[in-house]
Amino acid sequence: MSVQRSRFPFDRLREKLDDTELRCRQCGYVDSDGGWRVRTSGDRVSYQHVCPSCNAIETRELRL
């Protein structure tokens, strides 16, 4: 059974981050159950992940 990926670019980037960027840069914890949140504000798209171990916040931002 194949996993269907989103056809929307912002969702595809979130899925890539969910698959590859879940190790906390502060404490090294790997959040295998976590995921990135996406927010938009006109000319920016922000992706954010909060480490459940140390509460460090990792952010990626795209300017449109």
Side-chain angles (χ1 to χ4, degrees):
M1 179 161 51
S2 66
V3 175
Q4 183 176 358
R5 295 290 188 173
S6 176
R7 60 186 171 96
F8 300 105
F10 299 130
D11 289 335
R12 285 197 312 261
L13 180 54
R14 181 189 43 79
E15 290 169 353
K16 179 175 174 37
L17 291 170
D18 284 346
D19 290 344
T20 62
E21 298 285 329
L22 293 177
R23 180 179 300 276
C24 178
R25 292 182 183 195
Q26 297 295 316
C27 71
Y29 179 80
V30 177
D31 185 11
S32 58
D33 293 328
W36 288 72
R37 289 182 279 171
V38 181
R39 285 191 273 159
T40 61
S41 62
D43 65 341
R44 296 172 194 251
V45 179
S46 296
Y47 296 85
Q48 189 176 70
H49 179 260
V50 179
C51 176
S53 178
C54 71
N55 292 320
I57 299 171
E58 189 73 34
T59 303
R60 305 284 192 280
E61 186 172 273
L62 299 173
R63 294 177 133 197
L64 305 175

